[in-house]
Amino acid sequence: MGLSKTIWTNPSEYLRTVQPENPVLFFSPAALQAAARRFIDGFPGMVTYAVKTNPADVVIENLSAAGVRGFDVASPNEMRLIRRIAPDAAMHYNNPVRSRAEIAVAVEMGVKSYSVDSASELAKLIEMVPAEGCEISVRFKLPVAGAAYNFGAKFGATVELSAELLKTVAAAGFIPSLTFHPGTQCTDPHAWESYIRAAADIARAAGVTIARLNVGGGFPNHRLHGVLPQIEETFDLIDRVTDEAFGEDRPMLVCEPGRGIVGDAFTHAARVKAVRDGAHVFLNDGVYGALAELPLIGPIDRIEVTTPEGVKRQAEATPRIVFGPTCDSVDRIPGDVMLAEDIAEGDFVVFHGMGAYSLATNTRFNGFGELTVATVLSLSL
Ligand SMILES: *Cc1c(COP(=O)(O)O)cnc(C)c1O
């Protein structure tokens, strides 16, 4: 054999040539860079990327190349990753609960932006982090609306506590800011509206002019055929509501998308291990692997089936029960999955829009979970 190929034309070329027995994530650098530029060009403020969503080196490299200059980091390991690949980028340490050892690493690495949602964690930051030129954003929450997943159950101070924390931040000499996370896969742009208005109320109640408002992640990716992400509409709404709510005291805006940037830059392919007695489909990947998010966030219907030769099956789609490879009965893709009726052992099931929370949360449970990332020029079969 000659040199092995490292960039493929599209998923079908790879599937028919390699016949992979383990699941594959196909990565399109062009799609990722285009998504990043869509945010940079359209969002009325600074665009940062939430590293946890997909921390692959190639993702951070391509985002840097596309012009992303800031990263939301949750741990010392994510800080080391960013320092290694994008040493000049800003790091926003927006995991609001940290051990003292973690705070010490952040200070050492030059982190200048932190978020907080409690008095006890704020006291730790005030004690350990030099205030000069350093931002602390108070993270607040509201009762949930419009999100596929409730982030507020774990993090976020009430509106009342947030005003108190904001006063304390300003009094301690830090740059006072506010932040929230509206949830994830927020397909309705209005998910942001009440948060932005509440932020203005909190700042007013505290008597503090905030420097920045971080409107979180939560931007959707394309999971359902009929539901196109309304990214520009969301940017417009954020811009307009910030003006209305803050008037003269308008803060600079920051966003920290994960899914909205990386989600549609990867396509996943799993192989059909068996069609048991003509009924249930068993794949070589499931909810302990790269499909971990499907039970949490809801289905993806951008699914295609190809033969081992990489030819798309054209038969009408019918509902199937689909299981993953482990011996655990929860390892099932929720609901009925619509798959070409003539699906057969050895075929590949291709899920589009799989860049977020797939590579990052894949486990080795039952000895499965070996996952290949293959670079492609185009994600279309
Ligand atoms: C997870 C997370 C994000 C990214 O969320 P997406 O829904 O993937 O955009 C952004 N900010 C914080 C603080 C997070 O925890």
Side-chain angles (χ1 to χ4, degrees):
M1 234 168 80
L3 291 174
S4 46
K5 201 163 168 148
T6 55
I7 299 182
W8 302 82
T9 308
N10 52 31
S12 18
E13 185 198 31
Y14 180 95
L15 295 173
R16 72 171 175 267
T17 310
V18 176
Q19 298 291 318
E21 283 302 324
N22 290 314
V24 182
L25 273 171
F26 294 104
F27 168 53
S28 161
L32 182 64
Q33 293 209 23
R37 276 194 298 273
R38 187 175 179 189
F39 272 83
I40 292 168
D41 293 346
F43 182 76
M46 180 184 191
V47 176
T48 66
Y49 170 69
V51 173
K52 73 163 190 267
T53 313
N54 186 328
D57 283 10
V58 284
V59 168
I60 307 303
E61 286 160 3
N62 278 279
L63 291 178
S64 298
V68 173
R69 295 284 171 264
F71 293 89
D72 164 34
V73 291
S75 62
N77 275 335
E78 288 190 353
M79 292 171 208
R80 290 182 196 107
L81 169 70
I82 296 307
R83 278 291 171 262
R84 174 166 62 79
I85 297 178
D88 300 326
M91 295 195 287
H92 297 172
Y93 190 4
N94 285 345
N95 180 346
V97 178
R98 313 163 181 85
S99 70
R100 282 168 200 275
E102 288 168 337
I103 297 170
V105 173
V107 171
E108 166 79 28
M109 294 233 203
V111 172
K112 294 287 186 200
S113 179
Y114 297 77
S115 78
V116 80
D117 68 354
S118 64
S120 56
E121 291 302 299
L122 176 55
K124 272 168 139 170
L125 290 182
I126 291 173
E127 180 192 319
M128 295 187 64
V129 181
E132 177 71 28
C134 185
E135 170 184 60
I136 296 182
S137 301
V138 175
R139 176 160 167 180
F140 67 96
K141 68 175 169 192
L142 297 175
V144 252
Y149 191 79
N150 180 8
F151 272 78
K154 184 163 180 184
F155 292 132
T158 62
V159 164
E160 295 72 29
L161 175 60
S162 297
E164 289 308 310
L165 296 174
L166 195 60
K167 275 194 229 170
T168 310
V169 167
F174 289 88
I175 298 166
S177 291
L178 283 168
T179 184
F180 62 85
H181 191 66
T184 196
Q185 188 65 16
C186 299
T187 47
D188 180 359
H190 289 93
W192 279 263
E193 177 161 6
S194 46
Y195 283 94
I196 295 171
R197 296 194 191 281
D201 292 341
I202 292 167
R204 240 173 262 124
V208 171
T209 304
I210 60 169
R212 300 205 287 188
L213 174 62
N214 183 331
V215 300
F219 301 88
N221 81 298
H222 189 197
R223 301 171 70 84
L224 300 176
H225 272 115
V227 185
L228 280 179
Q230 300 182 56
I231 302 292
E232 282 73 21
E233 290 80 354
T234 305
F235 295 158
D236 288 348
L237 180 137
I238 289 170
D239 194 35
R240 175 176 61 75
V241 174
T242 305
D243 258 346
E244 286 173 14
F246 285 91
E248 304 259 283
D249 291 333
R250 180 179 164 122
M252 288 186 285
L253 291 172
V254 180
C255 66
E256 50 187 17
R259 182 192 309 283
I261 283 188
V262 81
D264 294 327
F266 286 78
T267 284
H268 177 272
R271 193 157 212 180
V272 177
K273 296 174 62 168
V275 182
R276 191 172 61 186
D277 287 343
H280 299 164
V281 173
F282 281 71
L283 299 179
N284 64 356
D285 206 358
V287 306
Y288 289 98
L291 304 176
E293 240 212 344
L294 294 178
L296 301 173
I297 303 300
I300 285 183
D301 71 0
R302 299 176 58 216
I303 301 177
E304 298 175 288
V305 178
T306 84
T307 66
E309 294 73 39
V311 179
K312 184 180 165 179
R313 290 209 182 263
Q314 304 288 351
E316 198 174 329
T318 55
R320 296 277 189 164
I321 289 174
V322 178
F323 290 110
T326 70
C327 298
D328 186 332
S329 49
V330 310
D331 191 6
R332 173 184 166 183
I333 298 179
D336 288 336
V337 183
M338 298 299 289
L339 297 172
E341 192 169 19
D342 51 353
I343 188 169
E345 180 180 337
D347 281 0
F348 297 100
V349 177
V350 174
F351 297 80
H352 295 284
M354 283 296 300
Y357 311 104
S358 49
L359 191 65
T361 50
N362 179 52
T363 79
R364 303 307 300 257
F365 183 49
N366 265 209
F368 296 105
E370 196 162 315
L371 183 63
T372 302
V373 176
T375 302
V376 288
L377 298 177
S378 163
L379 292 169
S380 306
L381 273 186

